[in-house]
Amino acid sequence: MLMKKIEYPFALNVVKDLKAGQRISLSGRIVTARDRVHKYLFEGNKCPVDLRDGAVYHCGPVMLQKEGKWHVCAAGPTTSMRQEPYTPRIIEQYRVRVIIGKGGMGEGTRKACVKYGCIYLQTVGGAATWIAQKIENVTGVHLYKEFGYAEALWEIIVKDLEAVVAIDVNGRSIHKKVQALSRRNLKHILG
């Protein structure tokens, strides 16, 4: 299957035909958010940026400010399952179309992806400096006074960030397939 290129804004017509297991290349504006920003939004606080048709990347980037400009040193994904309690409501409330992270997400997120037309992308863990090279520009930082720079909401512009569709808008999940196969294999091994 060829790699599909998608660009911001990630409207429903951009994500609806992507299939679980498909490789994609993503470009344009995305925001980073980790545990504290997710909890903050979940609790009803106002988001400082518009997330509609946007992408939320589960990442706490390592940043360096030089001559008044932010530079990304590392931007690897964090474990997405930690955001599971908050993600379904954030998808619903803000109409986020793309979640990017590492590892699987839970049933609540899978159901929200189906109901609201969102996809979950998995990117490479352990490749923080390689991913940082895909970031062309930092256009804003929000909530850093409240949460610190690692947990802040960063607005970044990426070019050709590669990922795999882990959950598609139809609810197909590569993780569910792997779990089912693992259970069958374990049952066979144990007899």
Side-chain angles (χ1 to χ4, degrees):
M1 188 179 295
L2 291 175
M3 184 175 300
K4 172 82 173 176
K5 291 181 177 271
I6 64 172
E7 293 187 19
Y8 176 80
F10 309 109
L12 183 58
N13 67 330
V14 173
V15 301
K16 71 179 177 65
D17 294 327
L18 300 174
K19 307 287 184 232
Q22 185 173 8
R23 293 177 54 223
I24 65 110
S25 171
L26 180 127
S27 296
R29 176 188 169 269
I30 67 174
V31 301
T32 68
R34 285 181 48 164
D35 309 51
R36 294 184 75 185
V37 169
H38 278 75
K39 185 174 188 283
Y40 176 84
L41 297 177
F42 179 85
E43 291 174 342
N45 295 291
K46 188 175 187 302
C47 187
V49 298
D50 185 8
L51 298 178
R52 180 174 290 276
D53 293 337
V56 174
Y57 179 27
H58 297 156
C59 172
V62 177
M63 300 291 206
L64 174 67
Q65 193 171 37
K66 186 175 177 182
E67 299 175 7
K69 183 173 168 81
W70 288 105
H71 300 275
V72 185
C73 301
T78 192
T79 303
S80 293
M81 188 56 86
R82 291 198 323 263
Q83 277 64 246
E84 177 63 23
Y86 316 115
T87 300
R89 184 183 295 174
I90 290 168
I91 291 170
E92 175 186 6
Q93 183 174 353
Y94 293 100
R95 295 303 195 252
V96 173
R97 294 283 180 211
V98 178
I99 304 292
I100 307 164
K102 176 177 76 175
M105 291 293 290
E107 189 62 13
T109 296
R110 192 189 68 77
K111 287 179 179 178
C113 285
V114 172
K115 187 171 183 178
Y116 302 106
C118 182
I119 60 173
Y120 171 60
L121 302 177
Q122 185 171 319
T123 193
V124 180
T129 55
W130 177 79
I131 292 172
Q133 294 172 19
K134 302 295 183 178
I135 299 171
E136 293 188 323
N137 197 13
V138 177
T139 57
V141 58
H142 309 274
L143 303 171
Y144 62 91
K145 289 180 183 171
E146 294 84 348
F147 306 136
Y149 286 109
E151 291 274 353
L153 188 149
W154 292 89
E155 291 181 82
I156 58 178
I157 307 297
V158 297
K159 178 74 172 163
D160 296 327
L161 176 61
E162 294 180 23
V164 173
V165 178
I167 301 173
D168 64 27
V169 298
N170 295 305
R172 291 179 293 243
S173 167
I174 62 173
H175 296 283
K176 286 186 95 113
K177 287 181 182 179
V178 169
Q179 287 173 343
L181 181 61
S182 296
R183 279 190 208 106
R184 274 196 313 268
N185 288 341
L186 180 61
K187 189 175 180 179
H188 177 73
I189 291 169
L190 296 176

